[in-house]
Short mmCIF file of all heavy atoms in Angstrom, two decimals:
data_model
loop_
_atom_site.label_atom_id
_atom_site.label_comp_id
_atom_site.label_asym_id
_atom_site.label_seq_id
_atom_site.Cartn_x
_atom_site.Cartn_y
_atom_site.Cartn_z
N LEU S 675 -13.54 55.14 32.25
CA LEU S 675 -13.10 54.85 30.91
C LEU S 675 -13.13 53.41 30.60
O LEU S 675 -13.60 52.98 29.56
CB LEU S 675 -11.77 55.51 30.64
CG LEU S 675 -11.30 55.40 29.27
CD1 LEU S 675 -12.06 56.14 28.26
CD2 LEU S 675 -9.80 55.90 29.12
N LEU S 676 -12.65 52.64 31.66
CA LEU S 676 -12.64 51.19 31.36
C LEU S 676 -13.91 50.55 31.29
O LEU S 676 -14.22 49.76 30.35
CB LEU S 676 -11.84 50.49 32.66
CG LEU S 676 -11.64 49.02 32.44
CD1 LEU S 676 -10.87 48.71 31.20
CD2 LEU S 676 -10.89 48.44 33.73
N LYS S 677 -14.80 50.99 32.17
CA LYS S 677 -16.26 50.48 32.07
C LYS S 677 -16.93 50.94 30.78
O LYS S 677 -17.77 50.16 30.22
CB LYS S 677 -17.02 50.99 33.34
CG LYS S 677 -16.50 50.41 34.64
CD LYS S 677 -17.42 50.96 35.79
CE LYS S 677 -17.01 50.35 37.15
NZ LYS S 677 -17.72 50.68 38.27
N THR S 678 -16.70 52.16 30.34
CA THR S 678 -17.35 52.69 29.12
C THR S 678 -16.81 51.97 27.93
O THR S 678 -17.68 51.67 27.01
CB THR S 678 -17.07 54.23 28.98
OG1 THR S 678 -17.49 54.82 30.17
CG2 THR S 678 -17.80 54.78 27.89
N THR S 679 -15.60 51.79 27.80
CA THR S 679 -15.02 51.25 26.57
C THR S 679 -14.93 49.67 26.51
O THR S 679 -14.42 49.16 25.58
CB THR S 679 -13.64 51.81 26.28
OG1 THR S 679 -12.79 51.52 27.40
CG2 THR S 679 -13.68 53.35 26.13
N ALA S 680 -15.31 49.01 27.63
CA ALA S 680 -15.04 47.53 27.76
C ALA S 680 -15.83 46.77 26.65
O ALA S 680 -15.20 45.76 26.08
CB ALA S 680 -15.37 47.14 29.05
N GLY S 681 -16.99 47.26 26.30
CA GLY S 681 -17.79 46.59 25.36
C GLY S 681 -17.66 47.13 23.97
O GLY S 681 -18.47 46.68 23.10
N TRP S 682 -16.78 48.01 23.72
CA TRP S 682 -16.63 48.61 22.35
C TRP S 682 -15.98 47.61 21.44
O TRP S 682 -15.16 46.81 21.77
CB TRP S 682 -15.86 49.83 22.44
CG TRP S 682 -16.54 51.04 23.07
CD1 TRP S 682 -17.68 51.02 23.89
CD2 TRP S 682 -16.17 52.45 22.96
NE1 TRP S 682 -17.99 52.34 24.21
CE2 TRP S 682 -17.07 53.21 23.72
CE3 TRP S 682 -15.07 53.04 22.46
CZ2 TRP S 682 -17.03 54.53 23.82
CZ3 TRP S 682 -15.00 54.42 22.46
CH2 TRP S 682 -15.97 55.16 23.28
N THR S 683 -16.32 47.85 20.16
CA THR S 683 -15.69 47.03 19.12
C THR S 683 -14.40 47.80 18.76
O THR S 683 -14.14 48.96 19.11
CB THR S 683 -16.60 47.02 17.89
OG1 THR S 683 -16.83 48.31 17.29
CG2 THR S 683 -17.91 46.34 18.12
N LEU S 684 -13.54 47.08 17.92
CA LEU S 684 -12.28 47.69 17.58
C LEU S 684 -12.58 49.01 16.74
O LEU S 684 -11.82 49.96 16.81
CB LEU S 684 -11.49 46.72 16.68
CG LEU S 684 -10.19 47.16 16.14
CD1 LEU S 684 -9.18 47.58 17.23
CD2 LEU S 684 -9.55 46.05 15.28
N GLN S 685 -13.55 48.99 15.89
CA GLN S 685 -13.93 50.14 15.03
C GLN S 685 -14.32 51.34 15.88
O GLN S 685 -13.86 52.43 15.51
CB GLN S 685 -15.08 49.72 14.08
CG GLN S 685 -15.37 50.85 13.04
CD GLN S 685 -16.44 50.46 12.09
OE1 GLN S 685 -16.92 49.32 12.05
NE2 GLN S 685 -16.82 51.32 11.18
N GLU S 686 -15.07 51.08 16.98
CA GLU S 686 -15.52 52.19 17.75
C GLU S 686 -14.31 52.79 18.57
O GLU S 686 -14.17 53.96 18.70
CB GLU S 686 -16.50 51.64 18.77
CG GLU S 686 -17.93 51.32 18.15
CD GLU S 686 -18.84 50.61 19.17
OE1 GLU S 686 -18.34 49.87 20.05
OE2 GLU S 686 -20.04 50.78 18.97
N THR S 687 -13.41 51.87 18.93
CA THR S 687 -12.15 52.34 19.63
C THR S 687 -11.30 53.20 18.70
O THR S 687 -10.76 54.25 19.04
CB THR S 687 -11.37 51.15 20.15
OG1 THR S 687 -12.21 50.31 20.91
CG2 THR S 687 -10.25 51.64 21.07
N GLU S 688 -11.14 52.73 17.46
CA GLU S 688 -10.35 53.47 16.43
C GLU S 688 -11.00 54.79 16.15
O GLU S 688 -10.27 55.81 15.90
CB GLU S 688 -10.18 52.59 15.19
CG GLU S 688 -9.26 51.41 15.44
CD GLU S 688 -9.17 50.59 14.16
OE1 GLU S 688 -9.98 50.74 13.23
OE2 GLU S 688 -8.22 49.65 14.16
N THR S 689 -12.40 54.85 16.11
CA THR S 689 -12.99 56.08 15.73
C THR S 689 -12.77 57.21 16.92
O THR S 689 -12.46 58.30 16.69
CB THR S 689 -14.57 55.92 15.68
OG1 THR S 689 -14.81 54.97 14.67
CG2 THR S 689 -15.33 57.16 15.47
N LEU S 690 -12.81 56.70 18.22
CA LEU S 690 -12.45 57.57 19.30
C LEU S 690 -10.97 58.08 19.23
O LEU S 690 -10.77 59.18 19.43
CB LEU S 690 -12.68 56.82 20.66
CG LEU S 690 -12.30 57.61 21.89
CD1 LEU S 690 -13.11 58.81 22.03
CD2 LEU S 690 -12.43 56.76 23.14
N ARG S 691 -10.11 57.14 18.89
CA ARG S 691 -8.71 57.51 18.74
C ARG S 691 -8.56 58.65 17.66
O ARG S 691 -7.85 59.63 17.93
CB ARG S 691 -7.90 56.29 18.41
CG ARG S 691 -6.37 56.63 18.20
CD ARG S 691 -5.77 55.55 17.34
NE ARG S 691 -6.30 55.55 15.91
CZ ARG S 691 -6.13 54.52 15.15
NH1 ARG S 691 -5.40 53.50 15.40
NH2 ARG S 691 -6.75 54.62 13.95
N ASP S 692 -9.21 58.34 16.57
CA ASP S 692 -9.08 59.46 15.43
C ASP S 692 -9.68 60.83 15.82
O ASP S 692 -9.17 61.88 15.48
CB ASP S 692 -9.79 58.94 14.21
CG ASP S 692 -9.19 57.64 13.67
OD1 ASP S 692 -7.92 57.34 13.92
OD2 ASP S 692 -9.75 56.88 12.89
N GLN S 693 -10.84 60.78 16.55
CA GLN S 693 -11.37 61.98 16.96
C GLN S 693 -10.58 62.73 18.06
O GLN S 693 -10.48 63.99 17.96
CB GLN S 693 -12.77 61.68 17.64
CG GLN S 693 -13.88 61.22 16.59
CD GLN S 693 -15.14 60.93 17.28
OE1 GLN S 693 -15.24 60.75 18.50
NE2 GLN S 693 -16.18 60.68 16.44
N ILE S 694 -9.93 62.01 18.92
CA ILE S 694 -9.01 62.64 19.85
C ILE S 694 -7.85 63.25 19.12
O ILE S 694 -7.43 64.41 19.35
CB ILE S 694 -8.52 61.56 20.93
CG1 ILE S 694 -9.72 61.18 21.74
CG2 ILE S 694 -7.34 62.18 21.73
CD1 ILE S 694 -9.30 60.01 22.75
N GLN S 695 -7.23 62.55 18.13
CA GLN S 695 -6.11 63.09 17.36
C GLN S 695 -6.51 64.38 16.65
O GLN S 695 -5.76 65.37 16.53
CB GLN S 695 -5.56 61.99 16.45
CG GLN S 695 -4.87 60.81 17.18
CD GLN S 695 -4.46 59.79 16.27
OE1 GLN S 695 -4.78 59.68 15.05
NE2 GLN S 695 -3.54 58.87 16.70
N GLN S 696 -7.77 64.30 15.95
CA GLN S 696 -8.15 65.43 15.24
C GLN S 696 -8.40 66.69 16.12
O GLN S 696 -8.09 67.74 15.77
CB GLN S 696 -9.43 65.08 14.45
CG GLN S 696 -9.98 66.16 13.59
CD GLN S 696 -11.36 65.75 12.84
OE1 GLN S 696 -11.92 64.68 13.16
NE2 GLN S 696 -11.77 66.59 11.93
N HIS S 697 -9.04 66.35 17.35
CA HIS S 697 -9.36 67.44 18.28
C HIS S 697 -8.01 68.09 18.74
O HIS S 697 -7.99 69.29 18.87
CB HIS S 697 -10.15 66.89 19.36
CG HIS S 697 -10.58 67.86 20.42
ND1 HIS S 697 -11.58 68.78 20.09
CD2 HIS S 697 -10.15 68.16 21.62
CE1 HIS S 697 -11.76 69.64 21.18
NE2 HIS S 697 -10.77 69.22 22.17
#
Side-chain angles (χ1 to χ4, degrees):
L675 186 62
L676 184 60
K677 294 182 180 179
T678 303
T679 59
W682 284 17
T683 63
L684 179 60
Q685 184 177 0
E686 290 172 332
T687 306
E688 290 177 344
T689 300
L690 175 62
R691 179 201 62 192
D692 295 340
Q693 289 177 347
I694 292 175
Q695 290 178 345
Q696 183 181 9
H697 183 75

